[in-house]
Amino acid sequence: MRHLMSPLDFSVDELEKLFDLANDIEKNREKYSHACNGKKLATCFYEPSTRTRLSFESAMLSLGGSVLGFSDANSSSAAKGESVSDTIRMISCYADICAMRHPKEGAPMVASTHSRIPVINAGDGGHQHPTQTLTDLLTIRSLKGRLNNFTIGLCGDLKFGRTVHSLINALSRYDNITFIFVSPEELRIPEYITDNLKEQNIPYKEVISLEEVMPELDLLYMTRVQRERFFNEEDYVRLKDFYILNKEKMSLAKPDMLVLHPLPRVNEISVEVDDDERAVYFKQVQYGVYVRMALILTLLEIDVNSL
Ligand code: NCD
């Protein structure tokens, strides 16, 4: 039985297969619409989320399966003091697969070691968010036709943004990727990540000005300042509007640069950018459903060739 804790749990070849399956689902929705008949997905969300939880639910419903779960730690037995390992033992009796989001780093990993069903990490604290990364990779691959030879700018809260940490991890395995980290001093990318890049001889630079690097980028990954992970509100207020991507800044970019964002957006992308063809963050949401459908099929070991 397999779980998904980090995007590195799948080899590059396995990811290719997963993305091919996601692209086939995109083209042939009907073919997959009963693939998970009788199967149940549990969504155990100990931290607020609409997008990711609904994306999982939509994915399972589109496969003909059903969903159950909770969307708030206060409405689960965690409020009574139940441990994650006990909860997953119980969920293993109710469902065939589980997507878990938790504010504590490593909680889904603990759950997976006590589980009889596949567990998917749907975001653990400031650590990893592998299914968002699968979404990001599928979006890039589908729209650009490749996952190598890019200069990618990651901008905003690089300290707390788990989607950023997961994406760097995953992209590091492809050839000729250059990372440009754009953040205020206080929200710089953690050192363990840059140490890792150094060790692998992967080129990166850290800058404060987005305008300065805009013309170099093939991809721009914007992120929200992660308010819920700040220790004090004052710092959040000071940093929240540090970057605002607008039409003027977009005019500095390559004509085929893509703008991605895991959403939710707060102020970091002005709505005037939404109509720009290079803004693909809403397309990304749709790819997120396809890739989660492909992931559920893969972890449940459904034979897609017999559909
Ligand atoms: C991200 C997350 O939860 O980390 N959202 C998401 O899953 N789409 C990004 C964020 O909350 O800023």
Side-chain angles (χ1 to χ4, degrees), residues 47-49 51-52 101 122-123 125 129 132 160-163 223-226 228-229 261-264 292:
E47 197 185 60
S49 156
R51 190 166 343 268
T52 304
R101 169 168 290 194
H129 192 347
Q132 181 62 47
F160 296 115
R162 56 190 170 198
T163 59
T223 61
R224 163 183 80 89
V225 175
Q226 306 277 300
E228 64 278 30
R229 312 216 190 278
H261 190 307
L263 304 179
R292 289 185 174 93

Side-chain angles (χ1 to χ4, degrees), residues 81-139:
E82 187 177 56
S83 67
V84 163
S85 47
D86 279 6
T87 303
I88 195 69
R89 281 193 182 104
M90 177 202 70
I91 298 287
S92 298
C93 305
Y94 296 163
D96 302 284
I97 185 165
C98 170
M100 179 179 286
R101 169 168 290 194
H102 204 287
K104 278 209 190 105
E105 285 81 2
M109 173 72 95
V110 171
S112 71
T113 61
H114 294 91
S115 179
R116 286 195 289 111
I117 59 175
V119 177
I120 302 168
N121 177 4
D124 61 330
H127 186 217
Q128 295 274 344
H129 192 347
T131 60
Q132 181 62 47
T133 299
L134 299 182
T135 302
D136 302 337
L137 296 181
L138 176 66
T139 306

